[in-house]
Amino acid sequence: MEWLTAPFEVAFVQRALLGGVLVSLICALAGTWVVLRGMAFLGDAMAHGLLPGVAIAALLGGNPLVGAAASAAVMAAGVTGLARVRRLSRDTGIGLLFVGMLALGVIIVSRSQSFAVDLTGFLFGDVLAVRERDLVHLAVALAVAAAAAAAGHRAFLALAFDERTAHTLGLRPRLAHAALLGLLTLAIVASFHIVGTLLVLGLLIAPPAAALPWARGVGAVMAGAAALGVSATFLGLLLSWHLGTAAGATVAAVAVAQFFVSVAVSAARDRLVRPAAATGTDAPTPRPAAVRQPA
């Protein structure tokens, strides 16, 4: 029992656990829509697009969160603008912004004498360095994310199924998409300094994707994603403590491992159910997923 509790008797690990729990809840709210809308590549681009703002803030001695928010706003505006350009696919526009912003960020950071340290911190974060004021920021971000998710739920749901249906229902799909971008931006900006940009997608995508085969509705996907994210945080910190591995990377690795376990178990369940259904035996029917990911 001591093996389970000993790490969490240390104050900085307790803060890391609480910070990871808050990040998991924020990412569950935003990540569910990212998975349902097929926006993983956009999420990756948005995460890496923060680098120029963070780099400028670091060089000027400003707040990295402010720089990240400004950079994310530029990325979101760029994605929205390029989406209106005819003969240019959305993925192409996102990819160009991704490469351009990342290259600009590396150029800016390379002007600093602490290039390696700054870039490593940006990419991988430091969950064990969470401070009390970081927890306050995360709590505020969670409250804003929850309010946005609740207010936009109907529009986001229609948008996830069919943009034309959302327009027919008068839900203003472009505005809904912009709000969804804002929710994604909030999750990434609030989380990147905890687990880093390379690892934030682990908590943003893996828990909702793992919960999807077992959920009956969007709310259930969010609840399952939150539970999986919290458990990944706990197990990741526990393993990191005993194995001496990077905490943020271990948390993300556990989240991804949960996804593969969920897929494997779901596939095994389906293989067992299908023969039973073919023979007409009274076997439980599989539970449908919440929605199918749009093409």
Side-chain angles (χ1 to χ4, degrees), residues 117-156:
V117 175
D118 289 342
L119 187 57
T120 300
F122 173 78
L123 294 175
F124 301 106
D126 190 0
V127 68
L128 296 178
V130 175
R131 297 162 294 183
E132 291 185 1
R133 67 179 182 181
D134 294 326
L135 296 178
V136 174
H137 293 159
L138 287 172
V140 172
L142 175 59
V144 173
H153 180 82
R154 185 165 175 262
F156 295 163

PDB file of all heavy atoms in Angstrom, residues 117-156:
ATOM      1  N   VAL A 117      17.243  24.625 -23.372  1.00  0.00           N
ATOM      2  CA  VAL A 117      16.385  24.549 -22.192  1.00  0.00           C
ATOM      3  C   VAL A 117      14.990  25.057 -22.509  1.00  0.00           C
ATOM      4  O   VAL A 117      13.984  24.442 -22.162  1.00  0.00           O
ATOM      5  CB  VAL A 117      17.019  25.351 -21.037  1.00  0.00           C
ATOM      6  CG1 VAL A 117      16.079  25.386 -19.839  1.00  0.00           C
ATOM      7  CG2 VAL A 117      18.358  24.743 -20.644  1.00  0.00           C
ATOM      8  N   ASP A 118      14.897  26.192 -23.196  1.00  0.00           N
ATOM      9  CA  ASP A 118      13.591  26.775 -23.509  1.00  0.00           C
ATOM     10  C   ASP A 118      12.779  25.841 -24.401  1.00  0.00           C
ATOM     11  O   ASP A 118      11.587  25.622 -24.178  1.00  0.00           O
ATOM     12  CB  ASP A 118      13.771  28.121 -24.201  1.00  0.00           C
ATOM     13  CG  ASP A 118      14.292  29.191 -23.264  1.00  0.00           C
ATOM     14  OD1 ASP A 118      14.187  28.999 -22.034  1.00  0.00           O
ATOM     15  OD2 ASP A 118      14.801  30.189 -23.758  1.00  0.00           O
ATOM     16  N   LEU A 119      13.416  25.290 -25.430  1.00  0.00           N
ATOM     17  CA  LEU A 119      12.694  24.438 -26.361  1.00  0.00           C
ATOM     18  C   LEU A 119      12.261  23.141 -25.694  1.00  0.00           C
ATOM     19  O   LEU A 119      11.153  22.652 -25.917  1.00  0.00           O
ATOM     20  CB  LEU A 119      13.568  24.140 -27.582  1.00  0.00           C
ATOM     21  CG  LEU A 119      12.889  23.399 -28.736  1.00  0.00           C
ATOM     22  CD1 LEU A 119      11.674  24.181 -29.218  1.00  0.00           C
ATOM     23  CD2 LEU A 119      13.863  23.171 -29.879  1.00  0.00           C
ATOM     24  N   THR A 120      13.126  22.574 -24.852  1.00  0.00           N
ATOM     25  CA  THR A 120      12.766  21.342 -24.149  1.00  0.00           C
ATOM     26  C   THR A 120      11.579  21.563 -23.224  1.00  0.00           C
ATOM     27  O   THR A 120      10.652  20.750 -23.163  1.00  0.00           O
ATOM     28  CB  THR A 120      13.967  20.824 -23.339  1.00  0.00           C
ATOM     29  OG1 THR A 120      15.046  20.553 -24.224  1.00  0.00           O
ATOM     30  CG2 THR A 120      13.605  19.545 -22.591  1.00  0.00           C
ATOM     31  N   GLY A 121      11.592  22.686 -22.496  1.00  0.00           N
ATOM     32  CA  GLY A 121      10.477  22.981 -21.609  1.00  0.00           C
ATOM     33  C   GLY A 121       9.187  23.174 -22.375  1.00  0.00           C
ATOM     34  O   GLY A 121       8.117  22.759 -21.917  1.00  0.00           O
ATOM     35  N   PHE A 122       9.269  23.818 -23.529  1.00  0.00           N
ATOM     36  CA  PHE A 122       8.077  24.030 -24.350  1.00  0.00           C
ATOM     37  C   PHE A 122       7.527  22.707 -24.871  1.00  0.00           C
ATOM     38  O   PHE A 122       6.315  22.476 -24.868  1.00  0.00           O
ATOM     39  CB  PHE A 122       8.424  24.951 -25.526  1.00  0.00           C
ATOM     40  CG  PHE A 122       7.321  25.097 -26.533  1.00  0.00           C
ATOM     41  CD1 PHE A 122       6.245  25.926 -26.290  1.00  0.00           C
ATOM     42  CD2 PHE A 122       7.365  24.401 -27.734  1.00  0.00           C
ATOM     43  CE1 PHE A 122       5.227  26.064 -27.220  1.00  0.00           C
ATOM     44  CE2 PHE A 122       6.358  24.538 -28.665  1.00  0.00           C
ATOM     45  CZ  PHE A 122       5.285  25.373 -28.410  1.00  0.00           C
ATOM     46  N   LEU A 123       8.406  21.824 -25.326  1.00  0.00           N
ATOM     47  CA  LEU A 123       7.964  20.573 -25.932  1.00  0.00           C
ATOM     48  C   LEU A 123       7.452  19.578 -24.907  1.00  0.00           C
ATOM     49  O   LEU A 123       6.468  18.878 -25.155  1.00  0.00           O
ATOM     50  CB  LEU A 123       9.109  19.947 -26.730  1.00  0.00           C
ATOM     51  CG  LEU A 123       9.585  20.711 -27.973  1.00  0.00           C
ATOM     52  CD1 LEU A 123      10.791  20.023 -28.583  1.00  0.00           C
ATOM     53  CD2 LEU A 123       8.463  20.833 -28.998  1.00  0.00           C
ATOM     54  N   PHE A 124       8.104  19.505 -23.758  1.00  0.00           N
ATOM     55  CA  PHE A 124       7.789  18.429 -22.818  1.00  0.00           C
ATOM     56  C   PHE A 124       7.202  18.889 -21.498  1.00  0.00           C
ATOM     57  O   PHE A 124       6.744  18.067 -20.714  1.00  0.00           O
ATOM     58  CB  PHE A 124       9.054  17.599 -22.539  1.00  0.00           C
ATOM     59  CG  PHE A 124       9.640  16.977 -23.772  1.00  0.00           C
ATOM     60  CD1 PHE A 124      10.790  17.470 -24.338  1.00  0.00           C
ATOM     61  CD2 PHE A 124       9.018  15.900 -24.382  1.00  0.00           C
ATOM     62  CE1 PHE A 124      11.316  16.905 -25.483  1.00  0.00           C
ATOM     63  CE2 PHE A 124       9.540  15.326 -25.526  1.00  0.00           C
ATOM     64  CZ  PHE A 124      10.701  15.835 -26.085  1.00  0.00           C
ATOM     65  N   GLY A 125       7.216  20.199 -21.225  1.00  0.00           N
ATOM     66  CA  GLY A 125       6.606  20.688 -20.002  1.00  0.00           C
ATOM     67  C   GLY A 125       7.328  20.205 -18.756  1.00  0.00           C
ATOM     68  O   GLY A 125       8.388  19.580 -18.824  1.00  0.00           O
ATOM     69  N   ASP A 126       6.744  20.494 -17.601  1.00  0.00           N
ATOM     70  CA  ASP A 126       7.308  20.031 -16.325  1.00  0.00           C
ATOM     71  C   ASP A 126       6.177  19.943 -15.320  1.00  0.00           C
ATOM     72  O   ASP A 126       5.915  20.870 -14.560  1.00  0.00           O
ATOM     73  CB  ASP A 126       8.406  20.979 -15.845  1.00  0.00           C
ATOM     74  CG  ASP A 126       9.172  20.413 -14.661  1.00  0.00           C
ATOM     75  OD1 ASP A 126       8.837  19.289 -14.229  1.00  0.00           O
ATOM     76  OD2 ASP A 126      10.095  21.087 -14.177  1.00  0.00           O
ATOM     77  N   VAL A 127       5.507  18.807 -15.333  1.00  0.00           N
ATOM     78  CA  VAL A 127       4.334  18.640 -14.485  1.00  0.00           C
ATOM     79  C   VAL A 127       4.697  18.682 -13.002  1.00  0.00           C
ATOM     80  O   VAL A 127       3.864  19.024 -12.156  1.00  0.00           O
ATOM     81  CB  VAL A 127       3.609  17.319 -14.835  1.00  0.00           C
ATOM     82  CG1 VAL A 127       4.435  16.111 -14.445  1.00  0.00           C
ATOM     83  CG2 VAL A 127       2.226  17.279 -14.205  1.00  0.00           C
ATOM     84  N   LEU A 128       5.948  18.341 -12.662  1.00  0.00           N
ATOM     85  CA  LEU A 128       6.362  18.333 -11.263  1.00  0.00           C
ATOM     86  C   LEU A 128       6.706  19.731 -10.751  1.00  0.00           C
ATOM     87  O   LEU A 128       7.009  19.890  -9.572  1.00  0.00           O
ATOM     88  CB  LEU A 128       7.565  17.399 -11.066  1.00  0.00           C
ATOM     89  CG  LEU A 128       7.294  15.923 -11.357  1.00  0.00           C
ATOM     90  CD1 LEU A 128       8.562  15.099 -11.166  1.00  0.00           C
ATOM     91  CD2 LEU A 128       6.175  15.386 -10.477  1.00  0.00           C
ATOM     92  N   ALA A 129       6.690  20.712 -11.634  1.00  0.00           N
ATOM     93  CA  ALA A 129       6.995  22.092 -11.229  1.00  0.00           C
ATOM     94  C   ALA A 129       5.731  22.946 -11.121  1.00  0.00           C
ATOM     95  O   ALA A 129       5.818  24.175 -11.123  1.00  0.00           O
ATOM     96  CB  ALA A 129       7.973  22.725 -12.212  1.00  0.00           C
ATOM     97  N   VAL A 130       4.577  22.317 -11.056  1.00  0.00           N
ATOM     98  CA  VAL A 130       3.313  23.065 -10.946  1.00  0.00           C
ATOM     99  C   VAL A 130       3.287  23.840  -9.637  1.00  0.00           C
ATOM    100  O   VAL A 130       3.574  23.296  -8.571  1.00  0.00           O
ATOM    101  CB  VAL A 130       2.117  22.098 -11.014  1.00  0.00           C
ATOM    102  CG1 VAL A 130       0.819  22.844 -10.769  1.00  0.00           C
ATOM    103  CG2 VAL A 130       2.081  21.411 -12.356  1.00  0.00           C
ATOM    104  N   ARG A 131       2.939  25.119  -9.743  1.00  0.00           N
ATOM    105  CA  ARG A 131       2.844  25.972  -8.564  1.00  0.00           C
ATOM    106  C   ARG A 131       1.378  26.222  -8.214  1.00  0.00           C
ATOM    107  O   ARG A 131       0.493  25.917  -8.998  1.00  0.00           O
ATOM    108  CB  ARG A 131       3.558  27.303  -8.830  1.00  0.00           C
ATOM    109  CG  ARG A 131       5.057  27.165  -9.099  1.00  0.00           C
ATOM    110  CD  ARG A 131       5.618  28.400  -9.771  1.00  0.00           C
ATOM    111  NE  ARG A 131       5.065  28.563 -11.114  1.00  0.00           N
ATOM    112  CZ  ARG A 131       5.434  29.531 -11.944  1.00  0.00           C
ATOM    113  NH1 ARG A 131       6.334  30.419 -11.577  1.00  0.00           N
ATOM    114  NH2 ARG A 131       4.891  29.631 -13.143  1.00  0.00           N
ATOM    115  N   GLU A 132       1.167  26.796  -7.048  1.00  0.00           N
ATOM    116  CA  GLU A 132      -0.209  27.039  -6.610  1.00  0.00           C
ATOM    117  C   GLU A 132      -0.930  28.001  -7.549  1.00  0.00           C
ATOM    118  O   GLU A 132      -2.112  27.824  -7.832  1.00  0.00           O
ATOM    119  CB  GLU A 132      -0.209  27.588  -5.173  1.00  0.00           C
ATOM    120  CG  GLU A 132       0.218  26.549  -4.132  1.00  0.00           C
ATOM    121  CD  GLU A 132       0.089  27.082  -2.715  1.00  0.00           C
ATOM    122  OE1 GLU A 132      -0.347  28.245  -2.555  1.00  0.00           O
ATOM    123  OE2 GLU A 132       0.423  26.347  -1.776  1.00  0.00           O
ATOM    124  N   ARG A 133      -0.233  29.003  -8.064  1.00  0.00           N
ATOM    125  CA  ARG A 133      -0.893  29.933  -8.972  1.00  0.00           C
ATOM    126  C   ARG A 133      -1.247  29.252 -10.302  1.00  0.00           C
ATOM    127  O   ARG A 133      -2.231  29.617 -10.944  1.00  0.00           O
ATOM    128  CB  ARG A 133      -0.028  31.158  -9.223  1.00  0.00           C
ATOM    129  CG  ARG A 133       1.264  30.905  -9.988  1.00  0.00           C
ATOM    130  CD  ARG A 133       2.018  32.209 -10.187  1.00  0.00           C
ATOM    131  NE  ARG A 133       3.224  32.012 -10.960  1.00  0.00           N
ATOM    132  CZ  ARG A 133       4.079  32.996 -11.264  1.00  0.00           C
ATOM    133  NH1 ARG A 133       3.827  34.231 -10.843  1.00  0.00           N
ATOM    134  NH2 ARG A 133       5.158  32.753 -11.979  1.00  0.00           N
ATOM    135  N   ASP A 134      -0.463  28.236 -10.695  1.00  0.00           N
ATOM    136  CA  ASP A 134      -0.808  27.463 -11.886  1.00  0.00           C
ATOM    137  C   ASP A 134      -2.125  26.719 -11.674  1.00  0.00           C
ATOM    138  O   ASP A 134      -2.941  26.603 -12.596  1.00  0.00           O
ATOM    139  CB  ASP A 134       0.299  26.458 -12.220  1.00  0.00           C
ATOM    140  CG  ASP A 134       1.597  27.134 -12.636  1.00  0.00           C
ATOM    141  OD1 ASP A 134       1.524  28.198 -13.267  1.00  0.00           O
ATOM    142  OD2 ASP A 134       2.661  26.591 -12.321  1.00  0.00           O
ATOM    143  N   LEU A 135      -2.317  26.214 -10.463  1.00  0.00           N
ATOM    144  CA  LEU A 135      -3.564  25.510 -10.155  1.00  0.00           C
ATOM    145  C   LEU A 135      -4.760  26.466 -10.225  1.00  0.00           C
ATOM    146  O   LEU A 135      -5.838  26.080 -10.683  1.00  0.00           O
ATOM    147  CB  LEU A 135      -3.469  24.881  -8.765  1.00  0.00           C
ATOM    148  CG  LEU A 135      -2.400  23.796  -8.588  1.00  0.00           C
ATOM    149  CD1 LEU A 135      -2.381  23.302  -7.143  1.00  0.00           C
ATOM    150  CD2 LEU A 135      -2.646  22.633  -9.540  1.00  0.00           C
ATOM    151  N   VAL A 136      -4.551  27.703  -9.790  1.00  0.00           N
ATOM    152  CA  VAL A 136      -5.623  28.699  -9.876  1.00  0.00           C
ATOM    153  C   VAL A 136      -5.961  28.978 -11.332  1.00  0.00           C
ATOM    154  O   VAL A 136      -7.142  29.025 -11.722  1.00  0.00           O
ATOM    155  CB  VAL A 136      -5.216  29.996  -9.151  1.00  0.00           C
ATOM    156  CG1 VAL A 136      -6.271  31.079  -9.361  1.00  0.00           C
ATOM    157  CG2 VAL A 136      -5.021  29.740  -7.661  1.00  0.00           C
ATOM    158  N   HIS A 137      -4.921  29.150 -12.168  1.00  0.00           N
ATOM    159  CA  HIS A 137      -5.150  29.393 -13.589  1.00  0.00           C
ATOM    160  C   HIS A 137      -5.902  28.228 -14.229  1.00  0.00           C
ATOM    161  O   HIS A 137      -6.822  28.432 -15.042  1.00  0.00           O
ATOM    162  CB  HIS A 137      -3.815  29.600 -14.306  1.00  0.00           C
ATOM    163  CG  HIS A 137      -3.101  30.849 -13.900  1.00  0.00           C
ATOM    164  ND1 HIS A 137      -1.748  31.040 -14.066  1.00  0.00           N
ATOM    165  CD2 HIS A 137      -3.569  31.999 -13.316  1.00  0.00           C
ATOM    166  CE1 HIS A 137      -1.407  32.231 -13.613  1.00  0.00           C
ATOM    167  NE2 HIS A 137      -2.497  32.825 -13.138  1.00  0.00           N
ATOM    168  N   LEU A 138      -5.507  27.011 -13.878  1.00  0.00           N
ATOM    169  CA  LEU A 138      -6.166  25.829 -14.448  1.00  0.00           C
ATOM    170  C   LEU A 138      -7.622  25.734 -13.987  1.00  0.00           C
ATOM    171  O   LEU A 138      -8.499  25.343 -14.768  1.00  0.00           O
ATOM    172  CB  LEU A 138      -5.406  24.562 -14.057  1.00  0.00           C
ATOM    173  CG  LEU A 138      -4.064  24.341 -14.757  1.00  0.00           C
ATOM    174  CD1 LEU A 138      -3.325  23.154 -14.136  1.00  0.00           C
ATOM    175  CD2 LEU A 138      -4.270  24.093 -16.248  1.00  0.00           C
ATOM    176  N   ALA A 139      -7.882  26.085 -12.729  1.00  0.00           N
ATOM    177  CA  ALA A 139      -9.256  26.042 -12.223  1.00  0.00           C
ATOM    178  C   ALA A 139     -10.135  27.052 -12.964  1.00  0.00           C
ATOM    179  O   ALA A 139     -11.280  26.748 -13.330  1.00  0.00           O
ATOM    180  CB  ALA A 139      -9.270  26.321 -10.718  1.00  0.00           C
ATOM    181  N   VAL A 140      -9.596  28.237 -13.223  1.00  0.00           N
ATOM    182  CA  VAL A 140     -10.348  29.252 -13.979  1.00  0.00           C
ATOM    183  C   VAL A 140     -10.580  28.768 -15.405  1.00  0.00           C
ATOM    184  O   VAL A 140     -11.681  28.901 -15.956  1.00  0.00           O
ATOM    185  CB  VAL A 140      -9.586  30.590 -13.974  1.00  0.00           C
ATOM    186  CG1 VAL A 140     -10.257  31.590 -14.916  1.00  0.00           C
ATOM    187  CG2 VAL A 140      -9.520  31.161 -12.560  1.00  0.00           C
ATOM    188  N   ALA A 141      -9.542  28.186 -16.015  1.00  0.00           N
ATOM    189  CA  ALA A 141      -9.677  27.672 -17.383  1.00  0.00           C
ATOM    190  C   ALA A 141     -10.720  26.565 -17.454  1.00  0.00           C
ATOM    191  O   ALA A 141     -11.499  26.488 -18.411  1.00  0.00           O
ATOM    192  CB  ALA A 141      -8.329  27.151 -17.880  1.00  0.00           C
ATOM    193  N   LEU A 142     -10.774  25.715 -16.429  1.00  0.00           N
ATOM    194  CA  LEU A 142     -11.768  24.647 -16.394  1.00  0.00           C
ATOM    195  C   LEU A 142     -13.176  25.222 -16.314  1.00  0.00           C
ATOM    196  O   LEU A 142     -14.094  24.743 -17.000  1.00  0.00           O
ATOM    197  CB  LEU A 142     -11.506  23.718 -15.209  1.00  0.00           C
ATOM    198  CG  LEU A 142     -12.528  22.610 -14.973  1.00  0.00           C
ATOM    199  CD1 LEU A 142     -12.648  21.696 -16.195  1.00  0.00           C
ATOM    200  CD2 LEU A 142     -12.161  21.793 -13.731  1.00  0.00           C
ATOM    201  N   ALA A 143     -13.354  26.247 -15.490  1.00  0.00           N
ATOM    202  CA  ALA A 143     -14.678  26.864 -15.369  1.00  0.00           C
ATOM    203  C   ALA A 143     -15.116  27.481 -16.694  1.00  0.00           C
ATOM    204  O   ALA A 143     -16.268  27.327 -17.120  1.00  0.00           O
ATOM    205  CB  ALA A 143     -14.655  27.927 -14.270  1.00  0.00           C
ATOM    206  N   VAL A 144     -14.192  28.156 -17.379  1.00  0.00           N
ATOM    207  CA  VAL A 144     -14.511  28.764 -18.675  1.00  0.00           C
ATOM    208  C   VAL A 144     -14.819  27.687 -19.709  1.00  0.00           C
ATOM    209  O   VAL A 144     -15.780  27.799 -20.487  1.00  0.00           O
ATOM    210  CB  VAL A 144     -13.354  29.664 -19.151  1.00  0.00           C
ATOM    211  CG1 VAL A 144     -13.608  30.166 -20.568  1.00  0.00           C
ATOM    212  CG2 VAL A 144     -13.161  30.833 -18.196  1.00  0.00           C
ATOM    213  N   ALA A 145     -14.003  26.620 -19.720  1.00  0.00           N
ATOM    214  CA  ALA A 145     -14.214  25.533 -20.679  1.00  0.00           C
ATOM    215  C   ALA A 145     -15.558  24.845 -20.449  1.00  0.00           C
ATOM    216  O   ALA A 145     -16.272  24.512 -21.404  1.00  0.00           O
ATOM    217  CB  ALA A 145     -13.078  24.518 -20.578  1.00  0.00           C
ATOM    218  N   ALA A 146     -15.912  24.638 -19.183  1.00  0.00           N
ATOM    219  CA  ALA A 146     -17.190  23.997 -18.876  1.00  0.00           C
ATOM    220  C   ALA A 146     -18.357  24.873 -19.321  1.00  0.00           C
ATOM    221  O   ALA A 146     -19.348  24.376 -19.882  1.00  0.00           O
ATOM    222  CB  ALA A 146     -17.278  23.721 -17.375  1.00  0.00           C
ATOM    223  N   ALA A 147     -18.241  26.182 -19.098  1.00  0.00           N
ATOM    224  CA  ALA A 147     -19.302  27.094 -19.523  1.00  0.00           C
ATOM    225  C   ALA A 147     -19.431  27.117 -21.040  1.00  0.00           C
ATOM    226  O   ALA A 147     -20.537  27.091 -21.587  1.00  0.00           O
ATOM    227  CB  ALA A 147     -19.017  28.497 -18.989  1.00  0.00           C
ATOM    228  N   ALA A 148     -18.295  27.149 -21.733  1.00  0.00           N
ATOM    229  CA  ALA A 148     -18.317  27.165 -23.201  1.00  0.00           C
ATOM    230  C   ALA A 148     -18.879  25.871 -23.763  1.00  0.00           C
ATOM    231  O   ALA A 148     -19.661  25.876 -24.722  1.00  0.00           O
ATOM    232  CB  ALA A 148     -16.907  27.409 -23.738  1.00  0.00           C
ATOM    233  N   ALA A 149     -18.480  24.748 -23.167  1.00  0.00           N
ATOM    234  CA  ALA A 149     -18.973  23.452 -23.642  1.00  0.00           C
ATOM    235  C   ALA A 149     -20.474  23.318 -23.424  1.00  0.00           C
ATOM    236  O   ALA A 149     -21.191  22.765 -24.271  1.00  0.00           O
ATOM    237  CB  ALA A 149     -18.226  22.324 -22.931  1.00  0.00           C
ATOM    238  N   ALA A 150     -20.948  23.817 -22.289  1.00  0.00           N
ATOM    239  CA  ALA A 150     -22.390  23.750 -22.012  1.00  0.00           C
ATOM    240  C   ALA A 150     -23.178  24.668 -22.938  1.00  0.00           C
ATOM    241  O   ALA A 150     -24.218  24.285 -23.488  1.00  0.00           O
ATOM    242  CB  ALA A 150     -22.648  24.111 -20.550  1.00  0.00           C
ATOM    243  N   ALA A 151     -22.674  25.889 -23.151  1.00  0.00           N
ATOM    244  CA  ALA A 151     -23.384  26.850 -23.990  1.00  0.00           C
ATOM    245  C   ALA A 151     -23.409  26.418 -25.456  1.00  0.00           C
ATOM    246  O   ALA A 151     -24.392  26.638 -26.160  1.00  0.00           O
ATOM    247  CB  ALA A 151     -22.744  28.228 -23.862  1.00  0.00           C
ATOM    248  N   GLY A 152     -22.325  25.797 -25.915  1.00  0.00           N
ATOM    249  CA  GLY A 152     -22.239  25.427 -27.318  1.00  0.00           C
ATOM    250  C   GLY A 152     -22.573  23.987 -27.617  1.00  0.00           C
ATOM    251  O   GLY A 152     -22.383  23.536 -28.759  1.00  0.00           O
ATOM    252  N   HIS A 153     -23.090  23.249 -26.629  1.00  0.00           N
ATOM    253  CA  HIS A 153     -23.285  21.807 -26.802  1.00  0.00           C
ATOM    254  C   HIS A 153     -24.169  21.476 -28.004  1.00  0.00           C
ATOM    255  O   HIS A 153     -23.822  20.629 -28.836  1.00  0.00           O
ATOM    256  CB  HIS A 153     -23.884  21.202 -25.532  1.00  0.00           C
ATOM    257  CG  HIS A 153     -24.110  19.723 -25.633  1.00  0.00           C
ATOM    258  ND1 HIS A 153     -23.105  18.797 -25.421  1.00  0.00           N
ATOM    259  CD2 HIS A 153     -25.221  18.995 -25.947  1.00  0.00           C
ATOM    260  CE1 HIS A 153     -23.583  17.576 -25.591  1.00  0.00           C
ATOM    261  NE2 HIS A 153     -24.862  17.678 -25.908  1.00  0.00           N
ATOM    262  N   ARG A 154     -25.299  22.145 -28.127  1.00  0.00           N
ATOM    263  CA  ARG A 154     -26.240  21.830 -29.203  1.00  0.00           C
ATOM    264  C   ARG A 154     -25.619  22.136 -30.572  1.00  0.00           C
ATOM    265  O   ARG A 154     -25.737  21.336 -31.504  1.00  0.00           O
ATOM    266  CB  ARG A 154     -27.527  22.636 -29.015  1.00  0.00           C
ATOM    267  CG  ARG A 154     -28.639  22.296 -30.009  1.00  0.00           C
ATOM    268  CD  ARG A 154     -29.975  22.844 -29.540  1.00  0.00           C
ATOM    269  NE  ARG A 154     -31.023  22.632 -30.524  1.00  0.00           N
ATOM    270  CZ  ARG A 154     -31.437  23.546 -31.391  1.00  0.00           C
ATOM    271  NH1 ARG A 154     -30.872  24.752 -31.382  1.00  0.00           N
ATOM    272  NH2 ARG A 154     -32.392  23.285 -32.254  1.00  0.00           N
ATOM    273  N   ALA A 155     -24.960  23.282 -30.673  1.00  0.00           N
ATOM    274  CA  ALA A 155     -24.327  23.651 -31.944  1.00  0.00           C
ATOM    275  C   ALA A 155     -23.163  22.717 -32.265  1.00  0.00           C
ATOM    276  O   ALA A 155     -22.989  22.297 -33.417  1.00  0.00           O
ATOM    277  CB  ALA A 155     -23.845  25.095 -31.887  1.00  0.00           C
ATOM    278  N   PHE A 156     -22.366  22.370 -31.258  1.00  0.00           N
ATOM    279  CA  PHE A 156     -21.237  21.464 -31.483  1.00  0.00           C
ATOM    280  C   PHE A 156     -21.728  20.088 -31.914  1.00  0.00           C
ATOM    281  O   PHE A 156     -21.121  19.437 -32.776  1.00  0.00           O
ATOM    282  CB  PHE A 156     -20.403  21.319 -30.212  1.00  0.00           C
ATOM    283  CG  PHE A 156     -19.712  22.578 -29.775  1.00  0.00           C
ATOM    284  CD1 PHE A 156     -19.224  22.710 -28.477  1.00  0.00           C
ATOM    285  CD2 PHE A 156     -19.528  23.634 -30.653  1.00  0.00           C
ATOM    286  CE1 PHE A 156     -18.575  23.861 -28.078  1.00  0.00           C
ATOM    287  CE2 PHE A 156     -18.886  24.805 -30.253  1.00  0.00           C
ATOM    288  CZ  PHE A 156     -18.408  24.919 -28.962  1.00  0.00           C
TER     289      PHE A 156
END
